[in-house]
Amino acid sequence: MADSNPKDFSDTLNKEGARMEVDARSQGDTPDALGFKTFLGGGAGADPPLVDITVDDAYRMDYPRRGKAVIINNRTFHPTTQMGERSGTEVDADNLYAQLGKLGFDVTRYDNLRAKEMLRVLQYAAREDHKDADCFVAAMLSHGEEGEIYGVDKAIAIDELTSPFKGTNCLSLVGKPKIFIIQACRGTDLDHGVDKADSDEGAPVDEVDAVSVQRVPVEADFLMCYSVVKGIRTYDSFYM
């Protein structure tokens, strides 16, 4: 793992009651992405005011360790799967390993695992003690279909792979982010993209804050990051 200062990027939002400065861009009462209302006063030509917002529901990110990260990188597949070789996937896996290391994660990489081995690796990771860790990350790079990802021998349900991290199974990660990055197809269609005019600015971005409660669903705090939307094929590598 690369040497790094793992806490730099989250110092501002680490603590409960952290304060955020919001650069007000327009006038009137406007709900921001976290659902707060901020008064964005000022007349035409006036400098936009800075408004303090208290963020009470941020994840705690000041534990002694950043956490465990697991990378599963499948390139070659058994002929019975009828899946081709995923050329270029090593570049993504190498880059993920390097970047997660820079963020302070304890990174372990596995290559060309069977479906059962993928499950076993994640079950083992879920059984580890994460009490002193901020979060957990798993990145899986392979072929896939909607709801499934391929081991080198056959497909396995993504829900089965994430199940060991549910609150009933992994108590030391309850209330902490569990991030799953899925670089795999979710169907057979291609996303051909769309042209965007250079002058098109300010597209809204939705954000959902994590609500702090005493009793949480067993699948709370899961963040699933897919390389494509439902029904779309992924490209072998975007060189992360």
Side-chain angles (χ1 to χ4, degrees):
M1 185 173 65
D3 292 336
S4 60
N5 185 348
K7 298 299 181 182
D8 287 350
F9 81 100
S10 58
D11 283 346
T12 305
L13 292 177
N14 277 349
K15 303 175 181 64
E16 289 186 6
R19 299 185 71 81
M20 262 174 83
E21 286 189 330
V22 176
D23 189 355
R25 301 296 180 185
S26 59
Q27 301 180 15
D29 288 340
T30 306
D32 68 359
L34 293 176
F36 297 100
K37 273 196 164 185
T38 54
F39 177 69
L40 311 180
D47 291 334
L50 291 176
V51 182
D52 288 336
I53 295 178
T54 299
V55 181
D56 292 322
D57 295 325
Y59 283 111
R60 178 182 168 188
M61 300 293 284
D62 60 354
Y63 287 93
R65 296 190 299 124
R66 176 66 67 216
K68 177 81 173 179
V70 172
I71 299 172
I72 297 174
N73 176 49
N74 292 339
R75 172 171 178 153
T76 57
F77 299 83
H78 193 277
T80 57
T81 65
Q82 298 184 330
M83 294 291 167
E85 183 173 332
R86 299 181 59 252
S87 59
T89 187
E90 283 85 2
V91 178
D92 287 345
D94 289 345
N95 288 339
L96 270 172
Y97 189 96
Q99 294 305 316
L100 289 169
K102 288 178 182 178
L103 294 175
F105 287 95
D106 174 17
V107 189
T108 305
R109 171 176 163 177
Y110 301 88
D111 290 297
N112 294 321
L113 297 186
R114 293 176 296 173
K116 247 181 216 185
E117 292 170 334
M118 294 171 68
L119 179 58
R120 192 177 303 128
V121 161
L122 293 174
Q123 287 173 333
Y124 180 81
R127 287 197 296 267
E128 293 185 21
D129 188 352
H130 303 272
K131 286 197 296 289
D132 63 343
D134 292 333
C135 58
F136 171 81
V137 173
M140 292 176 274
L141 292 70
S142 187
H143 287 301
E145 297 174 359
E146 177 57 28
E148 295 182 327
I149 190 166
Y150 272 84
V152 297
D153 59 337
K154 63 179 181 179
I156 185 171
I158 292 173
D159 285 348
E160 187 174 355
L161 295 174
T162 61
S163 179
F165 298 89
K166 292 181 180 180
T168 49
N169 300 326
C170 185
L171 293 175
S172 62
L173 280 174
V174 169
K176 298 179 180 182
K178 294 163 281 287
I179 303 164
F180 293 87
I181 302 169
I182 313 294
Q183 164 71 356
C185 295
R186 301 182 70 189
T188 57
D189 293 337
L190 289 175
D191 185 345
H192 297 286
V194 64
D195 293 333
K196 177 182 179 297
D198 292 339
S199 60
D200 185 12
E201 297 177 354
V205 177
D206 293 332
E207 296 181 22
V208 181
D209 61 327
V211 179
S212 177
V213 294
Q214 294 301 312
R215 186 175 183 84
V216 298
V218 296
E219 295 187 67
D221 309 299
F222 277 72
L223 176 61
M224 307 297 295
C225 308
Y226 288 91
S227 60
V228 290
V229 297
K230 182 177 179 179
I232 298 297
R233 291 177 56 189
T234 190
Y235 293 90
D236 282 342
S237 176
F238 278 115
Y239 302 110
M240 295 178 182

